[in-house]
Amino acid sequence: MLSIKNLTVAVNGKEILKDFNLEIKAGEVHAIMGPNGTGKSTLAATLAGKEDYEVLSGEVIFKGKNLLEMDADERAREGVFLAFQYPVEIPGVSTTNFMKAAVNAKRKHNGLEPLDAKDFLKMMNEKSQLVEIKREFLSRSINEGFSGGEKKRNEIFQMAMLEPSLCILDETDSGLDIDALRIVANGVNKLRNAERSFLVITHYQRLLNYIVPDFVHVMFGGRIVKSGGKELALKLEAEGYDWVKEEVEMI
Amino acid sequence: MSDSDKIIDEVVGNDYKYGFVTNIEQEFAEKGLTENTVRFISAKKNEPEWMLEWRLKAFRAWEKMEEPTWQNVHFPKINFQDIIYYAAPKKKKEIKSLDDVDPEIRATYDKLGIPIQEQKLLAGVAVDYVMDSESVITTFRESLKEKGIIFCSISEAIREHGTLVRKYLGSVVPQRDNYYAALNSAVFSDGSFVYIPKGVRCPMELSTYFRINAENTGQFERTLIIADEGSYVSYLEGCTAPMRDENQLHAAVVELITHDNAEIKYSTVQNWYPGDKEGKGGIYNFVTKRGMCKGVNSKISWTQVETGSAITWKYPSCILKGDNSIGEFYSVAVTNNYQQADTGTKMIHIGKNTRSRIVSKGISAGKSQNSYRGLVQVHGTADNAYNFSQCDSLLIGDKCGAHTFPYLEIKNNTGKVEHEATTSKIGEDLLFYCNQRGLTDEEAVSMIINGYCKEVFQHLPMEFAVEAQKLLSISLEGSVG
C-alpha cells in the first residue's frame, strides 16, 4: 500500500524528517507516537502533499505510484485521506455540498459518472450513521461554530464518504472528551477492512485502547526509533518516552 | 514566485469572452460636449421641447460643477471633450418585429448568450436590448401591454408616455444631484422605462441588456421604473463591452419609485470589460442608482453582482419615505488584477418604522482595491427605524486591498442600527483542506467564493443566480494556484 524509503523533509530550510522509513500493507493499522516536535505532523502533511514541505531525498510509493510527483488534490483522488488536527471552517458551504463536490471529483478521476442526488443522499445517510452525525448537522456550513468533537467527527464522516485506501489521522484524539473519542474511534473501526490501511498519529495511548493497532512506532528526532506491537504503546503510557530516548542515545 | 501567487495568477488570468466588436454601420455625434451636442441628441430622438429644456438645464448645471474626488479610486482626469456622446447602429428600416433586427446585431446578442427572441431560453424574461446609445428592440411588449404594463426604451417613453416621464424623471435623482448625474441628465441616450399599473404583479422578469460597441464613446443610459400602488416587478440589468485599450465612460442614472404597498426588486449583473491584466483599458462605471419608497409599506431591493469594469463607483440607495417601507441592498463586488471598486449604499430613513438591510460582500484578488462605503441616515421623523448592516471582505493573495467606510447619522433615538464587519482571507490552509478532499484549486476557490456570497445570490432570480456563480468563477479564474 505505502512504502516510504529514506525520506528526508525540510520545512523552512530545517530538516524535520530524516531518513524516514515505513512500510504499510493493505489492511494494517499503524500507530505513530512520540513527543512533541519529533516530526509526526510533518509526516502527515508531507504524505498529503502540503506546500512548503520540501522533500530533499527519498521516495514514497503509494499503490505502485510515485506519490511525491502528485499534487495534493490528485493524491486525495488517488485515495489518500488526511483527518486534520485543526479542520478549517468554510462559511456558506455545507458539509453536504462540500462532500458532493469531493465525492464527484473522485468519481470523475476514476472514470465514473457523478452520483445523482438520490444515490448521494442515500450514501450520506449510511455514512452519517457510522459517526452518529445528525442530518441537520450536515447542512450547516463546514466546521463553522462546531465544537472540537463535532469537527473531528465531521472529519471521520468525510473519511467514510470518500472511501480512501490510506487514512491518516493526525492527532484526531486531541481535544476530545471520552464520549467523543469513543464515537470517533467506533467510526474508524467500522471503516477498517482488508483493503484499507491506517496511519494513526497520536500523543497518547488512550486512543489506541479504542483503535487497536497492528504496529506501534515511536518517532524521535525525525525518524522511527522503535517499533513493536500494541503492547509498546502501553509501555510508553506507563513509563514515558525517556527510556526510548536513553536507548537511542546508547546506540 | 510563490505557489500561492501562481494560483492567483492562474485564476485571475482568464480572458474576457465578451470582448469582441460588431461591425455595423453607425451614426455618431461629433466628439465633445457643447450645448449643440445636447440639442443634437434631443433632435435625433425626436424629443418634445420640454425634454430638450430639461436636458439643457442639466447641461448648464453640469458646466458649473466640479468632479468629485472623495472616492477611494484613482484614475487620470477624464477629458470630457474627447468623448463621443451619441453612437447608434444605423437603422436600415423601421423595426416592427424581431425579424427586422439587423442580422449583425442579432448575431452579437447570440454571441453574448442572450439571443433576441421570445422563446426557449428567455421565455420567462422580457428584454430591452440597448446598443451604445439606442434601444434595439424590446421583447414581449404586446403580452405585457395586455396587463397595462409599459416596458419600452426611455426614448420611446418620452415620445409616447410624456406625462408619466415628465412627472417622475429626476424626481429621485435631480439633474444637479451630482457631477455624473448632471452629465447623464444632459446627454442620456437610452435605457429602459417601466411602468407597472396599480395592483399588477408583473408576470415575468423584465430585463435590459446594455452593450457598448462603439469606440471612444460614452454610454449614458437612463432607466426609470415606476411601481404604482400594490404592484410588483422584478427587473434585471446585464452589461458587457468590447476589449479596448482606452478607458470608456459609462455614467448611468437609474431611478425607482414605489407607491403604497408596491415592490421593486432590481438586480444587476455587471460585467463591463475590466481592462487587461496590466490594468490597461476597461470601463469606468460611474453610476447613480436610487430608489424612492414613496408609499407606505413599499419595498425596494437592490441586488448587485459586480465583476467587471476597470473602476466601479456606485451606491444604489433607498429613500425610505413611506411609513413602514423597506430598503434592501445585497452586493457582491469582485475586483481582480488592477480593478478598483468603491461601492455600497445609502439608506435614508424618513418614514416611521422603516427598515433597511445591507449585506455587502467584497472579494479582492490580484492587485485590486475594493472599498465598501455605506451611509445609514435616520431622520428625526423616522421613529423606530431599524437598520442591519453586514460588510464582509475576502482577500485572495496579499497584493490586494479591502476597505470599509461605514457612515451613520442618527437623529432619532428610537431607532436601532446594527453593524457587523469581517475580513477573511483564502489562505493556504483553506485551499489545502479542499485539495486534500480531491478538489483542484479552481474548484476550491469557486466553492469558497460561492459559499461566501450565498446570502446575496439567493436574492437573485434563479437563472441569474446560476449565471452569477459562473461569472464569479470566471472572473477569479487563475487567482489561486
Side-chain angles (χ1 to χ4, degrees):
Chain A
M1 171 72 67
L2 183 75
S3 165
I4 306 174
K5 286 205 178 104
N6 308 107
L7 186 66
T8 299
V9 175
V11 183
N12 295 326
K14 194 178 172 226
E15 280 186 27
I16 307 287
L17 289 186
K18 291 166 192 162
D19 209 16
F20 184 94
N21 290 283
L22 181 64
E23 290 282 333
I24 300 179
K25 294 195 174 68
E28 290 177 352
V29 176
H30 290 242
I32 293 204
M33 302 182 71
N36 274 330
T38 49
K40 301 191 301 291
S41 288
T42 298
L43 175 65
T46 306
L47 291 176
K50 192 164 174 20
E51 276 177 36
D52 308 331
Y53 288 72
E54 196 189 346
V55 177
L56 299 177
S57 61
E59 64 167 24
V60 180
I61 304 298
F62 173 65
K63 294 197 292 187
K65 290 178 184 167
N66 183 350
L67 193 70
L68 299 177
E69 274 179 0
M70 301 177 204
D71 285 336
D73 52 314
E74 194 184 349
R75 295 182 197 195
R77 293 191 298 269
E78 283 284 333
V80 175
F81 183 93
L82 172 62
F84 283 72
Q85 187 177 0
Y86 304 109
V88 298
E89 300 178 359
I90 315 180
V93 179
S94 65
T95 301
T96 305
N97 280 342
F98 187 57
M99 277 298 102
K100 199 167 180 189
V103 166
N104 285 333
K106 189 168 179 184
R107 287 179 68 88
K108 193 177 163 196
H109 183 77
N110 294 329
L112 299 169
E113 291 291 311
L115 275 184
D116 64 31
K118 199 179 131 227
D119 289 339
F120 179 75
L121 281 178
K122 203 176 139 209
M123 187 181 182
M124 291 269 292
N125 272 339
E126 264 171 42
K127 307 286 182 177
S128 58
Q129 282 164 16
L130 284 181
V131 276
E132 301 173 37
I133 272 184
K134 288 198 189 81
R135 285 286 294 280
E136 60 261 29
F137 189 83
L138 299 173
S139 52
R140 280 165 55 185
S141 292
I142 288 193
N143 294 327
E144 208 180 29
F146 286 18
S147 71
E150 285 169 333
K151 284 184 183 172
K152 297 295 170 72
R153 256 199 267 178
N154 192 278
E155 292 292 291
I156 305 303
F157 167 72
Q158 293 184 31
M159 187 165 98
M161 288 296 288
L162 291 169
E163 301 176 339
S165 314
L166 174 66
C167 307
I168 305 166
L169 278 67
D170 188 8
E171 302 204 12
T172 297
D173 52 334
S174 66
L176 292 190
D177 63 33
I178 199 73
D179 290 333
L181 185 71
R182 192 180 42 75
I183 291 170
V184 164
N186 279 345
V188 171
N189 286 331
K190 284 178 197 158
L191 294 173
R192 286 176 77 159
N193 66 32
E195 281 86 46
R196 186 170 292 141
S197 310
F198 289 82
L199 182 60
V200 181
I201 293 171
T202 181
H203 265 310
Y204 305 107
Q205 189 271 336
R206 185 175 78 147
L207 176 68
L208 305 180
N209 288 334
Y210 296 95
I211 304 173
V212 181
D214 299 309
F215 300 94
V216 175
H217 309 281
V218 182
M219 257 184 100
F220 202 75
R223 60 169 71 95
I224 290 172
V225 291
K226 195 163 188 70
S227 299
K230 60 185 176 201
E231 64 290 341
L232 178 58
L234 290 168
K235 186 167 178 186
L236 288 168
E237 180 78 0
E239 302 176 22
Y241 289 110
D242 285 350
W243 64 274
V244 185
K245 230 186 224 175
E246 279 160 25
E247 266 189 31
V248 173
E249 277 157 7
M250 272 161 62
I251 307 163
Chain B
M1 199 190 312
S2 84
D3 282 349
S4 66
D5 287 349
K6 252 185 273 163
I7 305 181
I8 290 163
D9 278 18
E10 275 162 31
V11 177
V12 186
N14 68 299
D15 293 319
Y16 184 74
K17 62 175 180 175
Y18 309 100
F20 59 90
V21 181
T22 310
N23 285 317
I24 38 166
E25 258 192 276
Q26 295 197 297
E27 278 186 293
F28 295 98
E30 262 180 63
K31 212 180 234 186
L33 179 53
T34 61
E35 207 170 293
N36 281 337
T37 322
V38 178
R39 289 179 190 279
F40 172 86
I41 293 170
S42 190
K44 264 283 158 213
K45 296 188 174 285
N46 294 320
E47 287 177 353
E49 188 59 28
W50 67 265
M51 193 63 238
L52 174 62
E53 285 308 319
W54 196 89
R55 284 176 181 278
L56 288 172
K57 202 176 138 197
F59 175 72
R60 284 166 199 142
W62 176 77
E63 277 188 312
K64 292 194 195 85
M65 292 166 94
E66 295 271 334
E67 280 172 79
T69 51
W70 47 262
Q71 69 278 22
N72 187 32
V73 297
H74 305 278
F75 56 94
K77 207 169 160 53
I78 298 171
N79 180 356
F80 289 94
Q81 297 307 333
D82 202 31
I83 294 173
I84 298 170
Y85 288 84
Y86 179 88
K90 216 171 211 171
K91 281 189 191 125
K92 295 196 173 110
K93 54 179 174 182
E94 188 69 13
I95 297 177
K96 288 223 177 68
S97 77
L98 299 181
D99 299 332
D100 296 334
V101 176
D102 185 326
E104 279 292 328
I105 295 177
R106 210 178 238 287
T108 302
Y109 285 101
D110 279 349
K111 224 165 147 182
L112 294 170
I114 33 149
I116 299 181
Q117 55 188 14
E118 291 191 349
Q119 35 182 318
K120 290 182 214 156
L121 203 66
L122 294 168
V125 188
V127 187
D128 184 14
Y129 296 86
V130 178
M131 190 180 277
D132 295 322
S133 310
E134 281 290 336
S135 167
V136 178
I137 194 159
T138 309
T139 57
F140 289 104
R141 303 172 47 137
E142 292 310 310
S143 41
L144 290 169
K145 211 169 159 186
E146 285 167 23
K147 297 210 159 220
I149 295 169
I150 306 170
F151 178 40
C152 64
S153 72
I154 192 102
S155 308
E156 188 184 330
I158 289 165
R159 293 190 298 265
E160 311 288 327
H161 309 282
T163 330
L164 269 177
V165 175
R166 211 171 166 175
K167 183 171 170 194
Y168 291 104
L169 190 72
S171 68
V172 188
V173 181
Q175 284 126 304
R176 49 176 70 236
D177 185 82
N178 66 70
Y179 189 82
Y180 291 98
L183 177 64
N184 174 286
S185 300
V187 300
F188 74 83
S189 35
D190 227 332
S192 300
F193 176 81
V194 177
Y195 173 78
I196 314 288
K198 273 182 199 172
V200 171
R201 201 181 158 82
C202 186
M204 57 176 81
E205 303 278 344
L206 302 185
S207 172
T208 303
Y209 194 89
F210 295 101
R211 172 76 178 166
I212 293 179
N213 187 54
E215 221 167 329
N216 297 320
T217 308
Q219 194 179 46
F220 305 91
E221 93 244 5
R222 185 102 194 178
T223 295
L224 177 58
I225 301 176
I226 302 141
D228 217 328
E229 285 171 31
S231 69
Y232 167 86
V233 63
S234 169
Y235 177 91
L236 186 119
E237 62 163 49
C239 32
T240 56
M243 292 195 269
R244 295 189 198 284
D245 284 348
E246 76 275 15
N247 298 103
Q248 279 180 285
L249 178 63
H250 171 258
V253 172
V254 175
E255 295 176 281
L256 312 181
I257 295 121
T258 49
H259 288 279
D260 291 356
N261 304 305
E263 179 179 350
I264 298 176
K265 191 173 152 56
Y266 191 105
S267 314
T268 306
V269 176
Q270 188 263 106
N271 189 24
W272 294 115
Y273 177 53
D276 68 9
K277 278 173 230 165
E278 272 73 53
K280 201 169 186 195
I283 304 292
Y284 292 165
N285 189 35
F286 301 164
V287 172
T288 307
K289 287 182 168 176
R290 197 174 301 154
M292 165 91 82
C293 284
K294 215 171 172 180
V296 297
N297 306 318
S298 65
K299 179 174 173 183
I300 288 177
S301 178
W302 299 98
T303 305
Q304 60 172 22
V305 177
E306 304 282 322
T307 64
S309 297
I311 302 177
T312 295
W313 178 22
K314 66 167 191 176
Y315 316 93
S317 306
C318 299
I319 301 172
L320 303 169
K321 201 172 170 199
D323 290 347
N324 312 318
S325 60
I326 299 172
E328 293 176 338
F329 175 73
Y330 300 99
S331 169
V332 169
V334 185
T335 53
N336 201 347
N337 297 322
Y338 285 89
Q339 280 178 279
Q340 307 176 62
D342 192 317
T343 181
T345 185
K346 288 190 258 183
M347 293 293 174
I348 316 290
H349 293 256
I350 298 172
K352 291 181 177 52
N353 308 315
T354 45
R355 281 176 290 155
S356 63
R357 184 179 173 83
I358 299 170
V359 178
S360 162
K361 306 271 181 180
I363 301 166
S364 335
K367 298 187 172 94
S368 67
Q369 296 295 327
N370 203 326
S371 303
Y372 166 81
R373 190 184 302 274
L375 168 69
V376 176
Q377 199 178 55
V378 178
H379 286 227
T381 48
D383 291 344
N384 305 314
Y386 172 74
N387 163 267
F388 173 78
S389 303
Q390 186 184 331
C391 309
D392 298 329
S393 308
L394 183 69
L395 301 166
I396 306 176
D398 53 10
K399 297 191 200 78
C400 51
H403 316 266
T404 304
F405 304 95
Y407 305 87
L408 298 173
E409 291 171 15
I410 316 293
K411 294 193 179 109
N412 182 313
N413 58 15
T414 61
K416 194 175 166 194
V417 174
E418 294 174 32
H419 185 95
E420 286 176 14
T422 66
T423 302
S424 48
K425 203 177 157 172
I426 299 190
E428 276 173 26
D429 285 348
L430 190 49
L431 278 175
F432 179 58
Y433 189 81
C434 297
N435 289 155
Q436 213 302 306
R437 299 304 185 245
L439 304 177
T440 62
D441 289 324
E442 272 75 16
E443 288 165 339
V445 169
S446 165
M447 169 166 278
I448 293 163
I449 302 265
N450 281 314
Y452 176 75
C453 302
K454 199 166 107 190
E455 225 181 317
V456 173
F457 286 165
Q458 67 195 12
H459 292 280
L460 283 175
M462 186 60 190
E463 54 270 52
F464 297 116
V466 175
E467 203 51 43
Q469 287 191 13
K470 272 193 235 153
L471 196 57
L472 225 60
S473 317
I474 294 168
S475 302
L476 290 167
E477 214 163 85
S479 71
V480 243

